[in-house]
Amino acid sequence: MKICVFGAGAIGGYMAGELAFAGHDVCAIARGAHLAAIRSHGLKLIVEGRTRTADLPASDDPAAFGPQDVVICALKAQQAHASAGAFASLLGPRTAVLTAMNGIPWWYFYKERGPLDGHHLDSVDPGAAQWNSIGPERAIGCVVDPACEVVAPGVIEHRLFKRFTIGEPDGSTSDRVLALRDALVSAGFDAPIRDAIRWNIWLKLWGNVCFNPISTLTLATLDRVTSEPGLRALCKTMMAEAQAVAAALGVAIPEQMMERRLNAAGSVVGHKISMLQDLERGRSLEIDALVTAVQEMGRLVKIATPTIDAVLALVQERGRQAGLYSHDVPPVAGSDEGPDYRLD
C-alpha cells in the first residue's frame, strides 16, 4: 500500500516506521531538526528495547510525493486545519484519509444519518477548509491508543499500546477500510474495525474534555486531577454534560463507565497530560477539537453545558495569554522536533 504519514511526530512516526518495516511504500511529512535527522540517518524506532531504522523518503513539502492510497493525518486538529490545502498533491481519485487525531473530527456529521447529517462544525474546521479541500468522502475515522515519545530528532520510542481503532463514517465495512486494516495489522498494530466509530471517539473524548483543560489551568498531573476531590468532582460534572450531548446525538455511554474512566486515568501516576505539555513547551493548544466542539454540539442539540462553557472560557484565555491559542498555526506543524509524549 502507498501511504503518506502527514505529521511524522510521536504517533505518526511510529506508524510510518512500522508500516515501512512491513514492506509498504511509505513517505513522511515532517519538519525542522526531526526532518533533517530522518533524511540523514533514517527514522529510528525503539520498540520493546529494540532499535530499528526505517529508510523512507521525507519532506516538509507534500508536493514532493504523488497521489497515495492512504494519507494518515497525525497532526493536531488545529494544525491539520492550517495544512488542509497542502494535502492536494497527495490526493488521487480514490485516496483515503485516516484521521489519527484526538477529539471530534472535522468530518463528524458526514453520513451521520441523524438530523444533523452533513452539518459542518466550525469549531474544528473554520471556514470548512478541510471539508472543502480534502472532502469528507475520503475520511476514515481513527482512535489512537499508543503512547509514544520523540526522544530525539528522528528517534521515536514506543511506550504503551498498539491499537488504532478505525471505522467508516457510514459504519460500512468497505473494501478500503478492510485494506487499511490489513495494512495496519501487517505492521503489528491492533486495528479493529468498528461500525459505530463515533462511539469510540466519544469514549476517548469523554476524558480529554475535562482532563486536558483542568490540567492546563492547574498544572496538575493526571493522577492529581482525578484524585483531588474538588477536581474529580469537576471532571464528573463536565463528563456528565458531555455524556448528555453525546446521548442527544444518539451515542450512549453507560453511566458506570465514568468511574472506570476516572480510575484508569488516575492510575498513570505523575503523567502530564498532552495539553499541559504543550503549554510548558510553547506549542499551540488543542482546545477546540477537545472542548469547543462539545460546546458547539451541545448548542446544536440544545443541551446546556455550563461547566464545560466556564472551563472552556478559562483555558481559551490561558492559551491566548501564552500566545498559544489561535487557528493561525504554521502548515505542516505537528511533526514535532522535540520531545513529545502522548498517553491521552
Side-chain angles (χ1 to χ4, degrees):
M1 184 170 278
K2 192 173 184 180
I3 301 170
C4 179
V5 177
F6 203 124
I11 295 299
Y14 172 51
M15 298 181 81
E18 293 287 21
L19 285 163
F21 293 140
H24 297 282
D25 182 2
V26 180
C27 62
I29 307 299
R31 68 181 178 112
H34 193 54
L35 171 60
I38 294 171
R39 283 175 161 171
S40 298
H41 309 297
L43 177 65
K44 298 184 184 299
L45 289 193
I46 305 171
V47 179
E48 297 177 353
R50 179 188 177 196
T51 301
R52 294 178 294 165
T53 302
D55 293 316
L56 51 84
S59 177
D60 56 3
D61 181 8
F65 310 112
Q68 308 289 308
D69 295 321
V70 175
V71 178
I72 297 175
C73 181
L75 300 168
K76 294 178 189 174
Q78 71 274 20
Q79 295 159 342
H81 174 264
S83 301
F87 279 71
S89 62
L90 302 170
L91 304 177
R94 298 174 60 84
T95 303
V97 176
L98 182 74
T99 52
M101 301 149 65
N102 277 338
I104 296 293
W106 57 270
W107 52 262
Y108 184 90
F109 286 114
Y110 176 70
K111 293 194 174 180
E112 186 257 354
R113 297 178 180 173
L116 291 168
D117 195 331
H119 182 83
H120 167 259
L121 285 167
D122 190 63
S123 57
V124 292
D125 190 23
Q130 293 169 98
W131 190 282
N132 293 330
S133 297
I134 297 171
E137 70 279 359
R138 297 187 185 276
I140 297 176
C142 180
V143 177
V144 175
D145 285 338
C148 302
E149 181 179 359
V150 179
V151 295
V155 183
I156 294 166
E157 184 171 2
H158 172 259
R159 298 291 176 82
L160 292 168
F161 313 126
K162 295 186 176 184
R163 185 171 60 196
F164 294 92
T165 303
I166 63 176
E168 289 279 9
D170 65 0
S172 65
T173 306
S174 64
D175 290 343
R176 68 177 190 172
V177 81
L178 288 170
L180 177 59
R181 187 272 314 275
D182 291 346
L184 293 170
V185 169
S186 75
F189 302 128
D190 297 325
I193 298 171
R194 295 289 182 255
D195 60 5
I197 190 64
R198 292 174 184 82
W199 188 91
N200 299 88
I201 289 169
W202 271 104
L203 185 63
K204 185 168 187 183
L205 179 67
W206 205 24
N208 285 340
V209 70
C210 54
F211 301 156
N212 277 272
I214 292 172
S215 291
T216 302
L217 291 167
T218 63
L219 311 184
T221 56
L222 189 53
D223 54 312
R224 179 67 177 167
V225 168
T226 55
S227 63
E228 196 285 321
L231 296 180
R232 188 180 179 98
L234 180 58
C235 285
K236 292 174 76 170
T237 301
M238 294 178 72
M239 291 173 80
E241 291 178 2
Q243 184 181 28
V245 174
L249 291 166
V251 179
I253 304 174
E255 181 68 33
Q256 63 268 27
M257 294 188 72
M258 183 182 293
E259 291 294 332
R260 191 185 313 169
R261 185 78 168 88
L262 288 163
N263 293 338
S267 68
V268 187
V269 177
H271 175 62
K272 290 184 179 181
I273 205 147
S274 59
M275 194 182 290
L276 175 55
Q277 292 181 46
D278 290 337
L279 176 70
E280 293 180 341
R281 293 169 181 165
R283 296 175 178 158
S284 62
L285 302 185
E286 196 171 25
I287 295 171
D288 292 323
L290 301 184
V291 191
T292 316
V294 179
Q295 179 192 68
E296 181 179 1
M297 296 166 97
R299 291 173 177 174
L300 287 171
V301 294
K302 296 181 170 51
I303 296 293
T305 55
T307 307
I308 288 174
D309 296 351
V311 172
L312 173 60
L314 292 171
V315 77
Q316 285 175 329
E317 184 59 19
R318 183 68 186 91
R320 292 187 195 102
Q321 292 293 329
L324 301 176
Y325 176 60
S326 171
H327 294 302
D328 300 324
V329 293
V332 199
S335 42
D336 301 305
E337 301 174 33
D340 182 24
Y341 186 37
R342 293 290 183 265
L343 184 60
D344 51 284

